[in-house]
């Protein structure tokens, strides 16, 4: 099956710092999504990004599908950005699209 | 505002009990999913459904079954709960684009 690798696995930042999270995938995919899981376990969809670049406030994402990677940029980090960031790639199996998740990047933002 | 709800945030059951986890979405999505999340193992797909009464096995279906009698509701059933099914269970839905998750049910089997 498809492999989804995220780096770094762990990241500690001081508030106000910028960071880049990377997602590599091993095969062609129909789509890619980024999620943030907060400390209470809720997964929030950040970006639906099959290709190109999108921005939402302090977050932006870029997917280069031909080279099989995606990047999530966090600028001016805040403590509320702490949690685990997952990328997930979408495969269509003929009946339903389903996501394969990476193992995540755990981010801790300190004061 | 999109919403996926799960019947319980925390649940404690005894070994051998039959356990029902309920999930409801209000977005008229065709696709619904059940995952479990364990430390070091990430999110693993248990079952999914692409239409009413339709279901497909995910990566780890053993010990679980599902039911989808109405489009908005997808139930996960543990026929005879075991301690290795202690986990966080996450329900999700999508309509072919963004996927939305419920808040999760933390199940402990003792």
């Amino acid at each position: 099956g498809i492999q989804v690798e995220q780096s770094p696995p762990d990241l500690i930042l001081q508030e106000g710092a910028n960071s880049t999270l990377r997602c590599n995938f091993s095969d062609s995919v129909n789509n890619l999504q980024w999620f943030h899981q907060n400390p209470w376990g809720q997964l929030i969809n950040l970006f639906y990004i099959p290709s190109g670049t999108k921005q939402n406030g302090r977050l932006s994402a870029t997917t280069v599908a031909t080279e099989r990677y995606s990047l999530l940029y966090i600028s001016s980090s805040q403590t509320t950005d702490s949690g685990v960031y997952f990328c997930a790639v979408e495969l269509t199996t003929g009946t339903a699209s389903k996501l394969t998740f990476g193992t995540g990047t755990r981010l801790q933002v300190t004061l | 505002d999109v919403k996926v709800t799960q019947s319980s945030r925390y649940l404690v059951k005894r070994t051998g009990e039959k356990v029902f986890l309920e999930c409801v979405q209000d977005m008229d999505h065709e696709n619904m999913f059940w995952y479990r999340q364990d430390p070091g193992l990430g999110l693993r797909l248990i079952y999914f459904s692409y239409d009413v009464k339709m279901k497909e096995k995910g990566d780890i279906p053993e010990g679980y079954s599902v039911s989808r009698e109405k489009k908005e509701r997808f139930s996960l059933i543990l026929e005879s709960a075991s301690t290795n099914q202690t986990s966080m269970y996450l329900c999700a839905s999508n309509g072919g684009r963004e996927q939305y998750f419920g808040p999760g049910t933390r199940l402990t089997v003792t």
Side-chain angles (χ1 to χ4, degrees):
Chain A
I2 192 167
Q3 303 298 312
V4 183
E5 295 181 355
Q6 291 186 243
S7 59
D10 296 280
L11 189 58
I12 300 176
L13 296 175
Q14 260 198 321
E15 196 172 44
N18 303 327
S19 63
T20 301
L21 282 57
R22 187 176 180 101
C23 173
N24 293 331
F25 43 97
S26 61
D27 205 346
S28 298
V29 298
N30 295 328
N31 216 319
L32 186 142
Q33 300 184 40
W34 282 97
F35 297 87
H36 174 225
Q37 187 170 37
N38 65 26
W40 297 271
Q42 175 75 62
L43 276 149
I44 303 296
N45 193 297
L46 298 175
F47 292 102
Y48 173 86
I49 185 164
S51 63
T53 297
K54 289 187 177 180
Q55 181 151 8
N56 184 1
R58 295 180 296 103
L59 304 181
S60 65
T62 295
T63 297
V64 184
T66 52
E67 297 186 22
R68 301 181 184 168
Y69 75 89
S70 183
L71 302 174
L72 178 70
Y73 305 96
I74 305 174
S75 64
S76 304
S77 58
Q78 301 177 358
T79 55
T80 52
D81 295 331
S82 296
V84 183
Y85 290 80
F86 291 99
C87 74
V89 297
E90 182 179 306
L91 303 172
T92 301
T93 63
T95 51
S97 299
K98 59 176 187 173
L99 294 175
T100 298
F101 284 79
T103 51
T105 292
R106 184 174 298 276
L107 173 65
Q108 183 180 353
V109 181
T110 62
L111 292 171
Chain B
D1 205 15
V2 299
K3 187 169 281 187
V4 180
T5 57
Q6 295 184 228
S7 50
S8 305
R9 287 285 279 145
Y10 300 94
L11 206 53
V12 179
K13 295 292 182 179
R14 292 194 182 275
T15 301
E17 278 193 83
K18 191 168 186 176
V19 182
F20 293 87
L21 302 182
E22 305 283 339
C23 175
V24 177
Q25 52 96 2
D26 66 358
M27 295 163 282
D28 201 36
H29 284 166
E30 295 85 8
N31 306 317
M32 296 187 74
F33 306 83
W34 276 106
Y35 298 86
R36 64 178 282 178
Q37 185 177 24
D38 302 287
L41 297 176
L43 278 85
R44 294 180 291 168
L45 182 64
I46 304 172
Y47 265 98
F48 64 101
S49 168
Y50 52 92
D51 202 351
V52 176
K53 297 191 187 295
M54 306 305 287
K55 60 186 178 185
E56 284 200 22
K57 294 180 180 179
D59 302 317
I60 51 162
E62 298 77 19
Y64 303 94
S65 62
V66 291
S67 172
R68 192 161 180 208
E69 297 296 317
K70 293 185 177 182
K71 190 175 185 180
E72 67 270 20
R73 188 179 297 270
F74 192 35
S75 303
L76 180 70
I77 303 154
L78 286 66
E79 297 290 343
S80 177
S82 64
T83 55
N84 63 13
Q85 292 178 311
T86 291
S87 186
M88 169 73 102
Y89 289 88
L90 294 159
C91 175
S93 73
N94 76 50
R97 283 180 55 90
E98 292 91 343
Q99 183 148 310
Y100 297 94
F101 281 84
T105 295
R106 192 167 292 281
L107 173 67
T108 302
V109 182
T110 62

